[in-house]
Amino acid sequence: MAGAAAEQRRLAAVVESWLGRPVLVVGDAMLDEWRFAESERLCREAPAPILTLRRRISAAGGAANTAVNVAALGGRAALVAPVGADVAGDELHDCLDRAAVWDRTVNQPGRPTPVKRRMLAGNQILLREDSGDPEDTLDDDGVARLLTALDCATEELRAVAAGEAPTLVVCDYALGALPAPVRAWLVANRERYATVALDAHDLADWRGLAPTVVTPSFAEASRLLARAAARPSTNDLHLDHPDGDPSDGPSELTVGVAPGDGSSARLGPTGEPGPGEDRVAMTGDGLTVTGTGVTVNATAGEGVDRAVLAESRLAELRAHTGADVVAVTLDTDGAVVGGPDGEHRRSHSTPVPASHAVGAGDAYLAAMTLALAADAPLPTAAQLAQLAATITVSDTGTCVCRREDLLGALDQPAEDAGRLTLVDADALATIADEHRRDGRSVVFTNGCFDVLHRGHVRYLEQARALGDLLVVAVNSDDSVRRLKGADRPVNPVEDRVALLAALACVDHVVVFEEDSPARLIEAVRPDVYVKGGDYPPEMVPEAPLVRRLGGQVRTLGYVPDRSTSAIIDRIRAHGRDVTTDAAAGQA
């Protein structure tokens, strides 16, 4: 036990050591959009469900999510990437601002921001719509502005680090953000970065970069080996993607993903499921890997699995990529990591639904990069990277690992104001920003909550179901008196707040002195604002403000005959009846 505690303290010390470390992220940035719907019936036109949209969440994706994870883990992240001059681009800028990422993206008119839109019902992804085409290449002006942004961001990060070289993370998902001139610039300027991490759909494009670490999926590693074997007489691998080799963006099944619902037997490991990915698979005899029509001998023995196969090819992968460290991610099977010493390290993961693991690879990449940049030993970096990826897959959405969560998993909790239920207005705004930065939606409601009753509890439970975080603003005693009369409140604000804070559905409680919560709404900028009543949302006084801030307004009906006034009237009536009966008895 003492040894385990010491090991956790050692790992936590590494997490603390990378705090504020400057990291430049460059590559394919995209927007992840999650649409949560309910379905209770089928349409008459076809055997298809009728969906009612309940909430929508936007999150940074791809290279942008890697930057968000770097910032959430405590690094100082700057993102350089082309972003379209469109609504999705505006939302992506907002995501970066909320995450405290230095937004050094380059506006690209006429080139749409890549978007992955997912529609879910019952927490199950029903469909995904992708927009953004690798054929939407950057023009010469766009390339020039991207190179200028890279140069300026590099020097900016060097300045805040007192002249020390920053870390570079390259996220190349073949969506057109890193054309040949940009790749050539990064290769030529490699010495300006102390640590370089590479996550690329096609590793062969980056042969001259000499990265510190590469993090291919099993499919990506297989493709590289297959193409290298097809060109044994040359050291130069291809620089162009072959025709018909489509890209699905970053691997979504990097850590802890179970195919389907996990109930059916696996027919064979095939890497991440993207268009055409069935062409990269381990053959039935367990001895070979096929990819793009080429077979590579594994010579590892009969019955070998993906982990053993990856372990047997780590030296080749290091040679072909020029990387010091290769980390092959194996979705449900964890990861295999190899370094210059020739030793391999194996980490494991727990299967979860696929919708829980979107972006888990970004968390893995961010933690691995920060640990190596902080000069952590490779086994430590691999352990922290796996832990960061694993603890992000607890719920549906784009995965982000926060420094506080990572330290908490090591039983070394950091100071976290977000864990306090009763907060003040300033702390609440910060907490809301942190949760929204991690892709969580904020629900806000307010009221006197004078005599807490069944109607209140049901109302608050329904409100909490509309998002990920419920904030309850409570009128102060003076405010209640102005609104309800001199005989109210029945219970002082300390008692009202204590009861609300004890409810499992309430995350944070804040007290406000004004008659209107407008000031708090402006500070919190809720995704959903909830009021009780049977009137339409348009009649809610705060509705225009909420909508101007980008939120939606919902009204929820109260439980009939359950209200504070009705309870007080019954108590008073009962008191009068008792007094009357007592008087009659004395007569």
Side-chain angles (χ1 to χ4, degrees):
M1 293 295 291
E7 173 66 8
Q8 289 181 324
R9 287 194 297 271
R10 186 182 66 81
L11 293 172
V14 175
V15 178
E16 297 289 358
S17 72
W18 71 46
L19 191 63
R21 188 167 294 272
V23 179
L24 173 61
V25 181
V26 58
D28 293 296
M30 62 190 75
L31 184 73
D32 278 349
E33 183 179 296
W34 299 82
R35 293 172 175 259
F36 297 87
E38 293 178 358
S39 177
E40 298 178 350
R41 56 197 176 98
L42 297 177
C43 69
R44 293 185 297 176
E45 296 84 359
I50 296 175
L51 302 177
T52 302
L53 184 64
R54 293 304 184 193
R55 62 190 176 100
R56 172 183 173 276
I57 297 175
S58 293
N65 189 47
T66 298
V68 167
N69 272 276
V70 169
L73 286 167
R76 189 189 303 274
L79 174 67
V80 173
V83 174
D86 49 22
V87 173
D90 292 341
E91 291 193 51
L92 183 55
H93 291 307
D94 290 340
C95 292
L96 297 173
D97 289 343
R98 290 195 296 266
V101 172
W102 289 8
D103 186 352
R104 303 300 182 260
T105 56
V106 177
N107 187 280
Q108 296 289 336
R111 184 179 187 273
T113 303
V115 181
K116 290 186 178 182
R117 297 181 179 90
R118 299 168 179 85
M119 177 68 79
L120 300 90
N123 223 27
Q124 173 66 47
I125 296 178
L126 300 181
L127 59 90
R128 195 183 87 187
E129 174 195 3
D130 288 6
S131 62
D133 192 332
E135 299 303 320
D136 296 327
T137 56
L138 301 177
D139 57 24
D140 291 343
D141 178 66
V143 170
R145 290 190 293 121
L146 196 64
L147 294 178
T148 299
L150 278 170
D151 184 64
C152 292
T154 300
E155 291 307 309
E156 191 177 12
L157 289 171
R158 180 187 291 273
V160 300
E164 292 187 11
T167 294
L168 173 68
V169 180
V170 179
C171 301
D172 180 9
Y173 307 129
L175 295 177
L178 295 166
V182 177
R183 298 198 301 269
W185 187 95
L186 290 169
V187 170
N189 288 269
R190 169 63 177 87
E191 73 282 355
R192 297 173 67 178
Y193 308 99
T195 301
V196 175
L198 172 64
D199 184 21
H201 182 73
D202 192 344
L203 291 164
D205 283 350
W206 297 92
R207 177 70 175 133
L209 185 64
T212 309
V213 58
V214 293
T215 59
S217 67
F218 180 79
E220 291 162 349
S222 299
R223 268 196 299 269
L224 181 68
L225 292 172
R227 291 168 188 165
R231 297 165 175 80
S233 60
T234 175
N235 290 327
D236 296 326
L237 302 185
H238 78 284
L239 294 180
D240 297 313
H241 298 282
D243 293 338
D245 186 18
S247 166
D248 190 40
S251 169
E252 293 186 347
L253 297 186
T254 330
V255 178
V257 180
D261 60 4
S263 61
S264 60
R266 297 179 62 183
L267 299 179
T270 58
E272 72 273 16
E277 294 292 0
D278 56 326
R279 292 178 298 147
V280 178
M282 189 164 66
T283 56
D285 61 6
L287 301 180
T288 57
V289 171
T290 60
T292 62
V294 180
T295 299
V296 184
N297 292 324
T299 63
E302 186 176 359
V304 68
D305 63 14
R306 288 189 305 165
V308 174
L309 182 57
E311 290 167 0
S312 70
R313 314 309 290 271
L314 285 174
E316 292 174 68
L317 289 169
R318 289 186 60 246
H320 289 311
T321 60
D324 293 331
V325 176
V326 173
V328 181
T329 55
L330 305 170
D331 51 82
T332 53
D333 297 323
V336 173
V337 182
D341 59 4
E343 298 293 325
H344 67 263
R345 287 88 181 169
R346 177 73 191 281
S347 59
H348 299 270
S349 59
T350 302
V352 298
S355 62
H356 287 197
V358 174
D362 302 329
Y364 184 98
L365 176 63
M368 172 69 80
T369 302
L370 285 167
L372 292 176
D375 296 324
L378 182 54
T380 298
Q383 189 173 354
L384 287 171
Q386 185 70 65
L387 182 59
T390 301
I391 63 179
T392 66
V393 298
S394 61
D395 201 358
T396 298
T398 304
C399 295
V400 174
C401 182
R402 300 191 303 168
R403 172 175 168 270
E404 294 81 5
D405 297 332
L406 189 55
L407 289 173
L410 296 170
D411 291 329
Q412 306 290 324
E415 292 295 326
D416 185 2
R419 296 182 182 177
L420 300 175
T421 303
L422 178 60
V423 296
D424 59 28
D426 292 337
L428 180 61
T430 301
I431 291 168
D433 284 343
E434 289 177 352
H435 283 280
R436 194 177 291 106
R437 177 184 68 195
D438 295 342
R440 304 184 184 106
S441 58
V442 178
V443 181
F444 183 100
T445 190
N446 63 278
C448 300
F449 299 99
D450 192 1
V451 179
L452 199 64
H453 52 75
R454 175 189 169 193
H456 285 139
V457 174
R458 178 178 172 184
Y459 165 78
L460 292 171
E461 289 175 340
Q462 291 176 333
R464 180 61 173 79
L466 297 175
D468 302 306
L469 185 81
L470 177 60
V471 174
V472 180
V474 182
N475 295 78
S476 68
D477 291 346
D478 288 341
S479 178
V480 174
R481 277 189 284 271
R482 290 192 298 270
L483 295 172
K484 302 291 186 179
D487 60 343
R488 300 281 297 274
V490 173
N491 293 308
V493 69
E494 293 83 3
D495 293 349
R496 292 184 281 133
V497 164
L499 289 174
L500 287 167
L503 295 177
C505 59
V506 175
D507 294 290
H508 301 291
V509 182
V510 62
V511 177
F512 65 100
E513 297 289 340
E514 303 87 352
D515 296 344
S516 167
R519 182 176 63 87
L520 278 175
I521 291 173
E522 288 195 77
V524 175
R525 294 179 293 110
D527 299 285
V528 184
Y529 178 68
V530 182
K531 286 294 289 183
D534 297 325
Y535 44 81
E538 290 73 21
M539 295 184 63
V540 175
E542 295 81 9
L545 171 61
V546 173
R547 293 195 176 101
R548 177 170 62 80
L549 295 171
Q552 59 174 301
V553 180
R554 296 287 302 275
T555 56
L556 301 176
Y558 289 124
V559 176
D561 301 324
R562 297 293 190 276
S563 71
T564 299
S565 297
I567 292 174
I568 292 174
D569 289 343
R570 285 201 300 272
I571 292 173
R572 288 172 175 168
H574 179 72
R576 288 194 296 269
D577 291 342
V578 170
T579 302
T580 301
D581 291 343
Q586 291 176 353

